Amino acid sequence: MPDWFYRTLSQPILFRFPPAIGRDRALGLLGAIARLPLGTYVIDVLGHMIPDARLARTVGRMQVASPAGVSLNLDMCATATQALSRFGVGLIEVGPVGTSARSAEIHRDSATQSVTIRGHQRLTADALAAQLPARRNRQLMIVARIAPEGLAAGDAIVTALRARVSAVSVELNTRTVIDEQLPAVLTVASAYGLPVFGVLPAHMKEHALCDLARAALAAGCEGLIVDATIANSGQGSDEIRHCGPAQKHPLVRAIIALRRALPGDALLIANGGIHQPADALEVLDSGATLLQLDSGLIFSGPGLVKRINDAILHRQLAQDNVSAEAAVFAREPGRETLGMSWFWLLWLGLAMLSGAGLAAYLALVPVVLPYDEVFVGLSRAELHSVNSNLLGFLTHDRITLAGLMATLGIGYSSFAWVGARRGWHWAEVAVLVSATVGSLSFFLFLGFGYFEPFHGFVTVMLSQFLIAAARSQLPVPTDVPNPALIETRAWRLSLWGQLCWIFFGIGLIGAGVVIAGVGITRVFVPQDLAFLNTAADALLSASPRLLPLIAHDRATVGGMLLSAGLIYLLSSLWGFRRGERWLWRTMVIAAVPSFAATLWVHWHIGYLDAIHLAPLAPALALFMLGAALSHEFLCQPIRGNTA
């Protein structure tokens, strides 16, 4: 559920359910997707949230992928841990684990963007072990929190979870717990090589908080989780946890106090009140080592983790005084350029543009080439005599193809020069996937039986650029887009614009599949035959190879539509960043040749059937709506830390 889907469609529906039901359905869906054979890859494709390697942090004996984590208040029962692990997090805390399973009341307040959990939410060690994957992720720390009443059986709980978790955490609300109950957990956890984190309520008085923290570290805890969501952690039924923006300020105060009182290398994990990237930076600035998110993911959206990671990386690079442009050009003198993927992707785009111009010329002037005439056994004049609309129909397909090739050429060139040249992985992958599908669509000729020599030659030439790009190196990214640190109206509107362009890309892919399928099977739809004022059998009687010639054009148009749909879909999924006006301009300018060529050629040849042209209207409307809604966010100059 990326932000463009969650904030626009999913959240309004889920919020109509009682909080517990909405939570269970959302997490259940995520968990079900992740358990599918390729489910985690689907999540990766939709969100592209894998964190940059430079965000990795060393925590004790392991390295986590990023400083951002997920609190146990979000997925207490570990229903969707495998899915959440693909959100770009470095840590997920689950539980609390007790000796028996219990449920709690959940209350949601949309006005304050807060969630209140009343009562003991517990699950057993066996139930948790059944939910967690059998193998540990080397860059994901799974922490199981042991409930206060579970400490008496702490050794059994740790033993049951030893192969499924990376660490355990224990709530330390009194010195008695540290002195009498913590040692047993530390002993058994140490035997299995598991670190133990002490959990401290952030709302405690400063001196008491610091005393407990020193005692916990002295006893053997390898770090502390400062939890601002704990309002009352008593043994009775009145246990209360508050999750919301109001928890940020006590969390910051507690982290500052602990950082002053503890050694500089003490591990502090901050939990509570983080709803925006600005909150995350503020908590890190106060001295936190890692972060945990809960209600922020519910109200701000699953993409909050990615936005936080982008904000941290952007500031990290800025503090390192890295000049993006200087670094890019410093790596590219002389021969080094030939080893960069962007160079070959740029040539691929330019070649597509050149091919589009040539295809347009051939479609308008000779229409059919000499080897077309040889294959069919009919000259251009004889084709016209077979059906007076036939050459116009061929022009219709070939001009449409030229427009699509121009769209792809503009998109590939821009993504290569602006995106891949700066080391942006998403831009490289988007072009590689789109171009690969386009190249493979050449083999659709196996379905219609016409191996066109020129088409084959062009495919081979373009494939050389594609293979060279795939085997080349992507520059190390030194330029991370300046993220939106707070939510604004422009960002919220851009989610709807992003949704429109994603649906537009999906629509193009669907149209490509349909047209390619028609091309290699029926060749014509009823509207085509109505325009030609003939039947397929009549054309077949003129030459048995006439239909394969027409099918070749249809299938090729379908393949190019697939490629165009993929470039729009993937760039919309992965490339939306504040102030990226180049992306907005690329998407808009690239669409012009396809729409213009399609509309013009239908008018030019008189193929104006309403049913045939009907899909163009919603496609154009969806595209223009997406452009309008995303314009402010993508094109507005960046000033300060707002969107």
Side-chain angles (χ1 to χ4, degrees), residues 464-518:
Q464 301 304 307
F465 295 128
L466 182 60
I467 293 171
R471 297 183 61 183
S472 297
Q473 180 182 358
L474 183 69
V476 176
T478 57
D479 181 17
V480 177
N482 191 359
L485 299 187
I486 64 174
E487 289 187 17
T488 64
R489 173 180 171 275
W491 178 74
R492 289 189 291 270
L493 286 176
S494 76
L495 295 179
W496 287 99
Q498 189 177 5
L499 181 69
C500 288
W501 274 355
I502 287 170
F503 283 171
F504 174 72
I506 293 173
L508 291 183
I509 292 171
V513 170
V514 170
I515 292 175
V518 169

Side-chain angles (χ1 to χ4, degrees), residues 429-450:
V429 172
V431 177
L432 288 176
V433 170
S434 172
T436 299
V437 170
S439 297
L440 292 177
S441 69
F442 168 74
F443 293 97
L444 289 172
F445 82 87
L446 296 173
F448 53 76
Y450 178 29

Side-chain angles (χ1 to χ4, degrees), residues 352-397:
M352 288 290 289
L353 278 172
S354 300
L358 180 60
Y361 168 77
L362 295 177
L364 291 173
V365 182
V367 184
V368 290
L369 296 173
Y371 54 75
D372 292 331
E373 295 176 330
V374 171
F375 174 77
V376 177
L378 298 172
S379 66
R380 185 177 188 277
E382 289 171 332
L383 287 171
H384 180 72
S385 65
V386 168
N387 188 293
S388 59
N389 289 328
L390 185 56
L391 291 179
F393 188 78
L394 292 173
T395 298
H396 147 265
D397 279 343

Side-chain angles (χ1 to χ4, degrees), residues 143-196:
V143 181
R145 183 178 297 190
I146 301 177
E149 70 274 13
L151 286 175
D155 53 349
I157 291 174
V158 174
T159 300
L161 297 174
R162 66 188 185 279
R164 308 277 180 157
V165 301
S166 313
V168 295
S169 60
V170 179
E171 290 188 16
L172 308 175
N173 51 358
T174 66
R175 185 62 181 263
T176 302
V177 175
I178 297 176
D179 294 337
E180 297 180 4
Q181 296 178 299
L182 180 62
V185 175
L186 287 167
T187 299
V188 69
S190 177
Y192 295 123
L194 298 177
V196 176

Side-chain angles (χ1 to χ4, degrees), residues 145-452:
R145 183 178 297 190
I146 301 177
E149 70 274 13
L151 286 175
D155 53 349
I157 291 174
V158 174
T159 300
L161 297 174
R162 66 188 185 279
R164 308 277 180 157
V165 301
S166 313
V168 295
S169 60
V170 179
E171 290 188 16
L172 308 175
N173 51 358
T174 66
R175 185 62 181 263
T176 302
V177 175
I178 297 176
D179 294 337
E180 297 180 4
Q181 296 178 299
L182 180 62
V185 175
L186 287 167
T187 299
V188 69
S190 177
Y192 295 123
L194 298 177
V196 176
F197 301 137
V199 181
L200 302 177
H203 296 273
M204 294 181 68
K205 292 183 178 180
E206 182 176 325
H207 70 277
L209 178 67
C210 294
D211 287 345
L212 279 180
R214 294 190 192 96
L217 294 178
C221 289
E222 296 194 18
L224 301 171
I225 297 176
V226 186
D227 194 340
T229 70
I230 300 175
N232 185 336
S233 58
Q235 299 292 324
S237 60
D238 59 344
E239 178 176 294
I240 300 174
R241 298 178 188 271
H242 291 305
C243 310
Q247 275 59 56
K248 183 187 68 172
H249 298 296
L251 177 66
V252 169
R253 288 196 301 268
I255 293 291
I256 291 174
L258 289 171
R259 189 52 75 191
R260 284 198 302 256
L262 301 177
D265 60 349
L267 173 65
L268 299 180
I269 303 172
N271 176 33
I274 300 173
H275 276 227
Q276 303 186 101
D279 299 330
L281 295 181
E282 182 180 353
V283 174
L284 289 173
D285 288 341
S286 70
T289 311
L290 302 177
L291 309 168
Q292 287 184 323
L293 313 177
D294 42 38
S295 54
L297 292 176
I298 296 171
F299 291 97
S300 297
L304 177 61
V305 177
K306 180 177 177 61
R307 286 181 275 135
I308 288 174
N309 284 337
D310 285 347
I312 295 172
L313 184 59
H314 183 271
R315 191 175 64 171
Q316 183 175 309
L317 294 180
Q319 290 173 346
D320 292 341
N321 294 319
V322 175
S323 171
E325 290 297 330
V328 167
F329 288 106
R331 285 194 305 270
E332 301 173 1
R335 299 178 181 177
E336 289 190 18
T337 301
L338 299 178
M340 294 295 171
S341 59
W342 70 263
F343 176 80
W344 300 107
L345 294 178
L346 177 61
W347 275 106
L348 175 65
L350 295 176
M352 288 290 289
L353 278 172
S354 300
L358 180 60
Y361 168 77
L362 295 177
L364 291 173
V365 182
V367 184
V368 290
L369 296 173
Y371 54 75
D372 292 331
E373 295 176 330
V374 171
F375 174 77
V376 177
L378 298 172
S379 66
R380 185 177 188 277
E382 289 171 332
L383 287 171
H384 180 72
S385 65
V386 168
N387 188 293
S388 59
N389 289 328
L390 185 56
L391 291 179
F393 188 78
L394 292 173
T395 298
H396 147 265
D397 279 343
R398 297 187 174 190
I399 282 292
T400 303
L401 173 64
L404 289 168
M405 290 180 66
T407 291
L408 291 171
I410 293 170
Y412 292 174
S413 300
S414 181
F415 284 16
W417 181 253
V418 182
R421 192 168 67 103
R422 284 172 167 77
W424 296 347
H425 180 254
W426 73 264
E428 179 192 51
V429 172
V431 177
L432 288 176
V433 170
S434 172
T436 299
V437 170
S439 297
L440 292 177
S441 69
F442 168 74
F443 293 97
L444 289 172
F445 82 87
L446 296 173
F448 53 76
Y450 178 29
F451 181 92
E452 184 194 356

